Amino acid sequence: MLELLAAAALFTAQPTDQPNTRPDCAAPTGTDALLARPERILVIPDWHGAVEIPAAFLGIVCEAAKQGPVTIALEMPETERVLFRNALSAPTEEAARNTFLYGDFGNPRSTDGRNSLAMLDMMVGFWRLKAAGHDVAIHPFMPVESVIRGRDQAWWELEMAYGISRALANRPEARVLVFVGDLHARKTGYERFPDIGTPAAGHLHASDTFTLTIANQGGATWDCDPNGCGPQTRRGRYDPDARGIILGPVEDGAYDGVLAVGPTTASPPAALQDQPAVTSSGSSS
């Protein structure tokens, strides 16, 4: 229920079947300053399995779409591109939601937070923007068709960066808003984890890429461990009262700013809700 309220709050109660409807966005404080940046690629991080972060990203996309064309680059299987295109073209919100459920969102085996109910609500929010007449397109970039078995994480990061870059190459007139795991949004490597190499954002053109990190303010996310899947508590380390986008270098330039959404709420997989379970068209791991 919290997911539905978070997504619905991004738009005023206006009929979505009118092409000239202009939705109002509930974007995080500081979004105007972020969108005033000159960079064409804005990387917004996610923890996967939280309510508040996808809602914040949708708000940022909504504001960006008011300014011009936007390509939404998502850490989701590249094999879902046609499905997402069809969903954005659906005649009604219900049809769009059902179309999204024909992908990983409807797969009962998908327990990754990328397939959460909050994420599904975010996707339906993109449909609302499209229905309101905004020029938005969804570009999933997680490599599925070009997997090299036995490779380490560094190869995965490089391929993800290539997938992100295709979003700008395919629609050079559009700004690219990337929604990807916090690790992949980092520009520099982890000394403790050398197999990661340079994270995906670090492979992108430096002068055209601006990245954020998520402020760890506690709460919970939906995640899986050896004991099973469910809400997992996070221990906060950042000011719990901070909110919005705070620009400025973080961790010696690993990120260019912070997104603070407050303590998070766990969002379970969409397929665990009262939704039809259907076959996935791509991997979500």
Side-chain angles (χ1 to χ4, degrees):
M1 185 63 183
L2 286 173
E3 292 91 338
L4 295 173
L5 291 173
L10 293 166
F11 303 97
T12 57
Q14 300 176 24
T16 56
D17 58 349
Q18 296 181 8
N20 294 323
T21 298
R22 307 286 289 186
D24 290 328
C25 311
T29 302
T31 295
D32 288 347
L34 175 67
L35 296 180
R37 299 286 314 174
E39 292 84 0
R40 297 287 305 284
I41 302 174
L42 302 180
V43 184
I44 314 299
D46 184 30
W47 281 347
H48 306 318
V51 172
E52 293 79 7
I53 304 173
F57 180 69
L58 175 56
I60 296 169
V61 170
C62 180
E63 288 291 352
K66 290 182 177 181
Q67 299 181 8
V70 175
T71 296
I72 305 157
L74 301 177
E75 188 187 355
M76 294 182 179
E78 59 188 351
T79 48
E80 305 263 289
R81 284 177 190 160
V82 173
L83 184 145
F84 290 166
R85 210 159 42 233
N86 291 340
L88 284 186
S89 300
T92 66
E93 181 173 321
E94 180 181 8
R97 183 176 290 269
N98 288 337
T99 302
F100 284 124
L101 284 165
Y102 274 96
D104 269 13
F105 285 110
N107 185 353
R109 297 183 300 277
S110 294
T111 55
D112 191 297
R114 281 169 293 197
N115 312 105
S116 71
L117 185 59
M119 289 286 283
L120 176 58
D121 290 336
M122 177 189 75
M123 302 294 280
V124 174
F126 299 151
W127 176 88
R128 293 194 190 107
L129 288 172
K130 185 79 170 178
H134 295 290
D135 184 358
V136 296
I138 301 176
H139 175 88
F141 59 82
M142 194 171 74
V144 173
E145 299 171 330
S146 57
V147 172
I148 303 173
R149 301 297 175 187
R151 65 186 173 177
D152 60 18
Q153 182 72 24
W155 279 104
W156 183 262
E157 299 297 326
L158 182 61
E159 288 198 22
M160 289 180 69
Y162 176 78
I164 294 170
S165 72
R166 291 304 85 196
L168 189 56
N170 293 343
R171 278 172 38 100
E173 76 283 4
R175 195 165 205 178
V176 178
L177 268 64
V178 185
F179 197 46
V180 66
D182 196 55
L183 180 152
H184 312 299
R186 186 183 175 98
K187 290 183 173 179
T188 60
Y190 289 90
E191 186 175 345
R192 291 172 51 205
F193 305 107
D195 64 312
I196 293 174
T198 301
H203 289 290
L204 300 172
H205 195 264
S207 64
D208 217 11
T209 305
F210 195 88
T211 72
L212 302 180
T213 186
I214 294 293
N216 187 350
Q217 297 170 282
T221 56
W222 180 279
D223 203 353
C224 296
D225 61 24
N227 298 318
C229 300
Q232 307 288 331
T233 301
R234 301 186 69 97
R235 181 176 298 176
R237 298 190 300 270
Y238 199 89
D239 178 2
D241 296 323
R243 294 292 185 276
I245 296 170
I246 304 157
L247 304 183
V250 179
E251 297 184 31
D252 294 326
Y255 304 95
D256 302 306
V258 173
L259 172 61
V261 298
T264 56
T265 308
S267 180
L272 296 186
Q273 308 304 302
D274 295 329
Q275 307 283 2
V278 290
T279 303
S280 169
S281 63
S283 169
S284 64
S285 60

